[in-house]
Amino acid sequence: MGHGRFVYRLAMLSLVSTLLIGCMGIRKEQNLFDALGGQEGVNVIVENFIMQIARDERIIDHFAVSNVERFRMMMREHLCFLADGLCEYTGDSMIDTHAGMGVTEGDFNAIVEDMMAAMNQAGVPIGTQNRLLSRLAKLRGEIIYL
Amino acid sequence: MRIIAAIINTLPTVLSSTLLCFFLPFSAQADGRIKGTGGVSSISGAGGGGLIPWATLTGHSTREELGGNMFLTMADVDDFTLEVAGAGFNYRDRAELSYARQNFTIKANDARISQDTVGLKYRLAGDLLYGSLPQIVVGAEHNALRDSATAKAVGADKAHGTDVYISSARAWIDGLGNRTTLLNVNLRYSTANQYGLLGYGGDDIGTRLHVEVAAGVFLTRSWVVGAEYRHKSDNLSALKEDSATDIFVAWLPSKRFSVTAAWVDLGEIAGAPDQTGFYLSIQGGL
């Protein structure tokens, strides 16, 4: 009984201290664009992403009238820009791009899942995936229910 | 007799299929949220962690969808076991209705205390993952003991009661160590003794406001580790009551199925000190 409690507290202590160390750890993060493998890496992710969307029945209708070549170029630029690569994003604003499309929160999450799959396929580690996803997530308000 | 036996034997299957048919029309589209954002099922039936509800609403439905979960939970500590079965229903990621049946067994004499809990949770504002506001909900849990004898015997005022709480949760996608990290804080108003299993109120009523905290880290998209703390007060002069904690590991292979294992420290229960042990819960999407 007492032994169980001791082991329990030890485990709790290890968990909490691991979290705290993770929290306080001053780590200098690699530039995200570099972590994604530069423009070459981003291009692979974009190709995978386009293939994921093409197979995704939940959202493919939103892309029915899209120009795939333009989408490809703009995605490459936009991801490079968001990942602190030295790119300029020359496309339309997220609001202009999605106005009138009626993108739901479910559609947005489907896109997030397609991006996760695209990055998995490209062998991007989960921590790097999360760095990019958290930046993409900030765009949600300029995309859904417009 | 044979026919009756056959009917009894097939009854659970028939019932669960009926339930499935009832939920199938919308369940096919009830997966619009990111995996894990519905959490698992707490011992009260409300969507959450294990020992406490969270601000997350059960399942993965969005504002366009309906969804829900069924679950089975077992906890085995030194002198007691707890078995819970229940379900939670999510209405458009706005409101959650839950039910749980708890069977608490005292190992020494095989005595059993049973309790029914109905929970309601309403999402006021915010979102777990997106935007500037964390997800904020208000909730209520009504507990009713099947038999009031034990509660009366230990000096509780009532065999039923209602807890109310406000809960807030946020998951940072790029959190600790670049892993998605969740923090949930509840403030609960309650006069329950041991989750209501020993009734409500008593002759030595402690604080009615309780803080509950949960934290978790998604090591991968399918594995989560974390811990919970549930502050409880000590309302009975005859018996001591402690706060409860747990350390958990959850495996979410899909949006429709999860397994949660935990190590719980429930403190002193009904005169038996240092109640630690294991906790296991499985959850399936409706």
Side-chain angles (χ1 to χ4, degrees):
Chain A
M1 216 184 287
H3 179 69
R5 201 146 210 224
F6 174 73
V7 177
Y8 178 87
R9 287 194 173 149
L10 200 67
M12 183 65 104
L13 195 69
S14 334
L15 186 77
V16 171
S17 43
T18 309
L19 290 181
L20 283 178
I21 289 163
C23 195
M24 298 185 305
I26 304 158
R27 55 206 149 81
K28 194 177 177 301
E29 284 190 324
Q30 191 189 7
N31 170 281
L32 180 54
F33 184 65
D34 293 339
L36 290 167
Q39 194 60 56
E40 211 171 301
V42 165
N43 291 353
V44 172
I45 294 169
V46 170
E47 284 317 299
N48 296 345
F49 185 51
I50 290 170
M51 293 311 289
Q52 290 292 335
I53 291 171
R55 281 197 293 262
D56 194 338
E57 288 175 9
R58 297 172 293 182
I59 50 164
I60 187 61
D61 289 347
H62 283 312
F63 294 87
V65 293
S66 300
N67 175 342
V68 177
E69 191 47 38
R70 179 171 164 79
F71 180 79
R72 174 180 286 123
M73 299 321 286
M74 291 304 110
M75 273 307 295
R76 287 177 177 183
E77 273 185 18
H78 204 179
L79 291 188
C80 168
F81 171 77
L82 288 172
D84 298 330
L86 297 170
C87 300
E88 195 190 341
Y89 173 58
T90 61
D92 300 324
S93 74
M94 285 296 102
I95 292 178
D96 289 345
T97 308
H98 298 93
M101 282 177 71
V103 177
T104 65
E105 58 172 326
D107 295 337
F108 184 85
N109 288 334
I111 280 288
V112 170
E113 288 170 358
D114 288 339
M115 180 53 80
M116 287 177 184
M119 289 191 288
N120 275 338
Q121 217 179 330
V124 178
I126 191 161
T128 309
Q129 291 187 19
N130 288 342
R131 290 176 66 193
L132 182 62
L133 290 172
S134 73
R135 297 179 191 200
L136 290 167
K138 292 195 173 71
L139 304 173
R140 181 174 178 262
E142 301 162 31
I143 292 175
I144 64 171
Y145 301 107
L146 297 177
Chain B
M1 283 307 282
R2 263 188 159 176
I3 292 167
I4 293 168
I7 289 171
I8 290 170
N9 280 335
T10 53
L11 206 60
T13 320
V14 172
L15 279 175
S16 48
S17 328
T18 314
L19 205 66
L20 211 62
C21 289
F22 177 70
F23 280 107
L24 218 55
F26 57 77
S27 72
Q29 294 186 330
D31 284 343
R33 266 161 49 221
I34 302 291
K35 191 171 77 172
T37 54
V40 293
S41 297
S42 71
I43 51 171
S44 71
L51 294 179
I52 61 172
W54 290 356
T56 51
L57 269 62
T58 197
H60 293 89
S61 46
T62 63
R63 72 188 79 174
E64 279 86 18
E65 300 168 332
L66 309 173
N69 273 307
M70 292 189 285
F71 70 95
L72 284 171
T73 297
M74 255 212 61
D76 190 326
V77 294
D78 298 279
D79 298 305
F80 310 96
T81 61
L82 176 71
E83 292 165 357
V84 194
F89 173 72
N90 180 332
Y91 179 78
R92 294 175 175 272
D93 207 20
R94 177 59 58 187
E96 178 192 277
L97 179 67
S98 60
Y99 167 77
R101 170 70 184 273
Q102 298 179 343
N103 291 325
F104 180 78
T105 306
I106 300 154
K107 287 179 186 175
N109 58 4
D110 226 18
R112 175 186 272 196
I113 301 171
S114 292
Q115 172 172 252
D116 294 299
T117 302
V118 176
L120 194 62
K121 197 192 276 178
Y122 184 81
R123 183 175 167 201
L124 292 176
D127 191 280
L128 180 69
L129 278 180
Y130 304 114
S132 50
L133 259 189
Q135 184 151 317
I136 301 165
V137 303
V138 286
E141 291 176 351
H142 180 76
N143 297 316
L145 287 167
R146 293 251 161 163
D147 182 344
S148 60
T150 315
K152 291 272 157 65
V154 298
D157 289 336
K158 289 184 297 179
H160 58 86
T162 306
D163 289 5
V164 290
Y165 61 89
I166 182 160
S167 174
S168 175
R170 168 112 291 194
W172 291 270
I173 296 172
D174 184 19
L176 296 180
N178 300 122
R179 294 301 189 275
T180 300
T181 305
L182 172 135
L183 183 66
N184 181 97
V185 180
N186 301 343
L187 194 61
R188 177 192 296 263
Y189 179 90
S190 172
T191 57
N193 306 316
Q194 301 290 4
Y195 322 93
L197 291 163
L198 296 181
Y200 270 73
D203 58 349
D204 185 20
I205 199 106
T207 173
R208 292 158 198 256
L209 272 180
H210 307 100
V211 175
E212 303 169 341
V213 182
V217 174
F218 281 77
L219 297 178
T220 70
R221 307 264 176 245
S222 303
W223 287 92
V224 193
V225 295
E228 291 181 313
Y229 167 79
R230 177 170 179 159
H231 173 236
K232 298 196 277 120
S233 55
D234 191 1
N235 304 325
L236 304 168
S237 59
L239 299 169
K240 187 168 171 277
E241 177 163 353
D242 292 323
S243 297
T245 58
D246 71 78
I247 304 171
F248 67 84
V249 180
W251 178 50
L252 307 92
S254 81
K255 290 182 185 178
R256 293 301 176 84
F257 180 70
S258 72
V259 182
T260 306
W263 200 348
V264 293
D265 182 347
L266 304 179
E268 182 161 333
I269 300 176
D274 296 343
Q275 295 299 310
T276 59
F278 289 100
Y279 170 105
L280 190 68
S281 181
I282 54 168
Q283 173 181 273
L286 290 175

